[in-house]
């Protein structure tokens, strides 16, 4: 069973889901994609969703509160991320992008040693079902501008601004 809760945040309500093994969903509640992601997860994990709470969701709320307060720069929560080996590799590389930093889609492909697969890497980034924790918002266009984000570009900008504020790094990017 995948337990789900709604979490209020500075960037809007989030829908979170977790199995007994870990968090498998964190998505902006007002985005249409959350319904598809829940359906996909239900099929991939062979289970259904039910409103409720568990230890992973409690830890998630605590760590998100710390993140939004500028006190947490890395998450240490158990994740459940069903996907292809390629998607798994892309998502693991996203987690390696440091708090307060950005990387272009091309740089992401280079980090994965997949320089000929920039579009496939970008597509796998977009398939991420765990916003913020797997920080796909840290990937930007090669020209330094914001590009697609499942939660919307305004949220992406907010998250990047938030991380720059608490990272101690100078904010020198023109994101729009």
């Amino acid at each position: 069973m995948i337990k789900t809760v709604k979490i209020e945040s500075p960037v809007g309500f989030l829908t979170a889901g977790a199995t007994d093994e870990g968090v498998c969903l964190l998505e902006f509640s007002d985005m249409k994609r959350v319904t598809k992601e829940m359906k996909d997860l239900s099929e991939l994990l062979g289970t259904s969703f039910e409103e409720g709470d568990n230890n992973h969701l409690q830890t998630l709320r605590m760590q998100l509160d710390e993140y939004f307060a500028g006190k947490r720069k890395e998450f240490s929560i158990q994740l459940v991320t069903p996907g292809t080996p390629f998607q798994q590799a892309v998502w693991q590389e996203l987690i390696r992008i440091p708090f307060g930093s950005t990387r272009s889609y091309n740089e992401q492909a280079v980090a994965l040693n997949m320089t000929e697969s920039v579009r496939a890497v970008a597509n796998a980034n977009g398939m991420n079902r765990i916003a913020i924790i797997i920080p796909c918002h840290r990937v930007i266009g090669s020209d330094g501008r914001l590009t697609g984000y499942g939660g919307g570009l305004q949220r992406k900008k907010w998250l990047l601004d938030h991380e720059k504020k608490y990272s101690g790094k100078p904010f020198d990017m023109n994101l729009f």
Side-chain angles (χ1 to χ4, degrees):
M1 184 64 59
I2 302 169
K3 299 290 187 177
T4 63
V5 295
K6 294 271 197 240
I7 300 172
E8 189 172 358
S9 83
V11 287
F13 280 94
L14 298 159
T15 299
T19 66
D20 289 338
E21 290 77 36
V23 173
C24 59
L25 178 69
L26 185 63
E27 186 59 78
F28 300 99
S29 299
D30 62 347
M31 303 308 289
K32 292 178 184 176
R33 65 188 269 149
V34 73
T35 303
K36 181 182 181 335
E37 289 175 353
M38 290 175 80
K39 181 179 180 280
D40 291 347
L41 279 169
S42 185
E43 290 174 10
L44 288 165
L45 298 176
T47 190
S48 59
F49 282 83
E50 172 184 284
E51 281 189 42
D53 211 346
N54 68 22
N55 291 338
H56 297 294
L57 293 170
Q58 292 168 14
T59 301
L60 175 63
R61 281 193 294 271
M62 179 195 69
Q63 290 190 12
L64 283 171
D65 285 346
E66 293 169 353
Y67 169 83
F68 287 120
K71 297 176 181 173
R72 176 172 290 275
K73 296 179 178 163
E74 292 181 16
F75 293 92
S76 60
I77 190 147
Q78 264 315 108
L79 301 177
V80 175
T81 57
T84 67
F86 178 77
Q87 289 170 329
Q88 296 283 333
V90 170
W91 299 334
Q92 284 304 307
E93 191 59 37
L94 286 170
I95 292 171
R96 291 186 189 96
I97 303 171
F99 179 94
S101 299
T102 57
R103 185 183 285 174
S104 71
Y105 290 98
N106 188 56
E107 290 169 329
Q108 182 76 347
V110 168
L112 288 159
N113 200 23
M114 299 178 182
T115 56
E116 303 299 318
S117 303
V118 175
R119 287 181 194 260
V121 168
N123 186 50
N125 281 359
M127 299 295 290
N128 172 29
R129 295 179 202 91
I130 305 177
I132 304 168
I133 310 298
I134 299 178
C136 53
H137 62 275
R138 295 179 187 156
V139 182
I140 60 173
S142 295
D143 61 0
R145 293 182 181 257
L146 295 186
T147 56
Y149 182 59
L153 292 182
Q154 290 299 327
R155 282 190 178 120
K156 185 171 188 166
K157 181 176 181 347
W158 191 97
L159 291 167
L160 292 174
D161 287 347
H162 170 76
E163 290 185 7
K164 287 290 183 184
K165 176 180 176 181
Y166 291 102
S167 71
K169 297 176 185 176
F171 188 77
D172 60 357
M173 297 172 53
N174 173 22
L175 297 174
F176 279 114

